[in-house]
Amino acid sequence: MRLRNNPKALDTLKENDKFVIMEPSLYKGKWLTVFDNDNPIHIEIGMGKGDFIYQLATQNPDINYIGLEKYPSVLATAVNKVNSLGCLPNVRFISFDAISLQDIFITNEVSQIYLNFSDPWPKNKHEKRRLTSHTFLPIYQDILKEEGHIEFKTDNRGLFEFSLVSFNAYKMPLLYISLDLHNSEEKEGNIMSEYERKFCQKGPIYKAVVRF
Ligand SMILES: C[S@@+](CC[C@H](N)C(=O)[O-])C[C@H]1O[C@@H](n2cnc3c(N)ncnc32)[C@H](O)[C@@H]1O
């Protein structure tokens, strides 16, 4: 996924500054000026190549979406895809590490967080890097509105179990859980990410929705 060898990635991002925000910290507390409306802001962390957020934004024009992806080279692929499919007024992309979310959002600025197929970081010594670890939960709690939800999907049983324990330790109510999303009623209306399309052939997809 990292597509490390794309020296032109940063140029691609800069050339598309209509929907790629190169200096996101400038908009901390002011994201609504970017979208020129006061619709709620939903973010996807680790958006990869962008299929999920693009489809979601197409279906929900009254929500503003911001996709974050750590690696410019991965984001550049999403940018090229948007250019071929057509730009949407309610989507912006940022090449950004979620550990610094509080540099770009103020308290209560975000209404919903999506985490799709986050890297599992299976070694214990890398636990803190998992996007559902106690490293990230206080950050999400700060930027999320009180009624805001986190929607988390994965194919990785170990990461799912870890995440449930992590949410529980942080006393986060579990609003929804599926141990086999694609064989549940929720399949209807489920939007698939690239990883989801790839891994749903190989085993169950797990989903949890939590809040603080
Ligand atoms: C396994 S991929 C899944 C991509 C996509 N969400 C999907 O479901 O197809 C995980 C993505 O999260 C990104 N990522 C990992 N840690 C991140 C972080 N701390 N901040 C932002 N993105 C991150 C990775 O670069 C990678 O593109």
Side-chain angles (χ1 to χ4, degrees), residues 50-205:
D51 275 9
F52 175 85
I53 197 166
Y54 189 87
Q55 290 176 64
L56 201 58
T58 307
Q59 290 181 11
N60 300 287
D62 294 336
I63 295 173
N64 298 323
Y65 291 94
I66 301 174
L68 288 92
E69 169 51 51
K70 192 168 169 179
Y71 293 99
S73 47
V74 179
L75 190 59
T77 306
V79 167
N80 289 332
K81 216 182 277 179
V82 168
N83 278 329
S84 65
L85 294 172
C87 226
L88 298 173
N90 58 332
V91 185
R92 297 294 185 279
F93 293 157
I94 308 173
S95 178
F96 200 74
D97 188 330
I99 197 68
S100 304
L101 275 168
Q102 287 158 304
D103 292 346
I104 59 171
F105 294 111
I106 57 167
T107 301
N108 295 338
E109 197 169 9
V110 172
S111 296
Q112 178 113 334
I113 295 177
Y114 293 95
L115 297 170
N116 292 315
F117 298 80
S118 307
D119 293 326
W121 294 109
K123 289 185 183 156
N124 285 343
K125 66 177 180 182
H126 292 144
E127 182 180 317
K128 287 182 177 171
R129 298 184 191 177
R130 298 176 196 149
L131 289 177
T132 50
S133 73
H134 66 274
T135 317
F136 288 93
L137 297 182
I139 298 173
Y140 303 154
Q141 184 176 27
D142 179 36
I143 65 165
L144 255 189
K145 289 187 191 299
E146 208 172 305
E147 67 280 10
H149 297 173
I150 298 176
E151 290 204 16
F152 171 58
K153 289 193 282 186
T154 182
D155 63 306
N156 187 299
R157 175 106 196 178
L159 180 66
F160 194 65
E161 287 174 1
F162 167 85
S163 303
L164 292 180
V165 171
S166 180
F167 297 147
N168 188 49
Y170 210 72
K171 303 207 180 318
M172 297 172 73
L174 187 59
L175 306 178
Y176 171 80
I177 184 166
S178 176
L179 300 178
D180 191 357
L181 179 65
H182 287 217
N183 286 304
S184 74
E185 285 176 6
E186 291 287 313
K187 188 185 180 200
E188 198 71 23
N190 176 51
I191 294 178
M192 285 204 264
S193 70
E194 294 87 4
Y195 267 66
E196 185 166 359
R197 218 171 292 122
K198 189 165 157 195
F199 288 105
C200 69
Q201 316 293 338
K202 300 183 178 168
I205 301 300

Side-chain angles (χ1 to χ4, degrees), residues 2-62:
R2 304 234 158 120
L3 307 169
R4 284 177 200 276
N5 301 322
N6 179 359
K8 292 188 179 155
L10 268 181
D11 290 340
T12 302
L13 303 189
K14 285 181 196 155
E15 283 159 14
N16 288 279
D17 59 358
K18 199 162 51 151
F19 61 95
V20 180
I21 306 294
M22 297 304 293
E23 287 192 70
S25 58
L26 293 180
Y27 299 101
K28 181 174 175 175
K30 301 178 205 154
W31 282 100
L32 296 180
T33 66
V34 170
F35 294 100
D36 201 20
N37 61 44
D38 55 8
N39 293 336
I41 293 174
H42 293 192
I43 68 174
E44 185 187 5
I45 300 173
M47 57 170 268
K49 297 176 187 169
D51 275 9
F52 175 85
I53 197 166
Y54 189 87
Q55 290 176 64
L56 201 58
T58 307
Q59 290 181 11
N60 300 287
D62 294 336

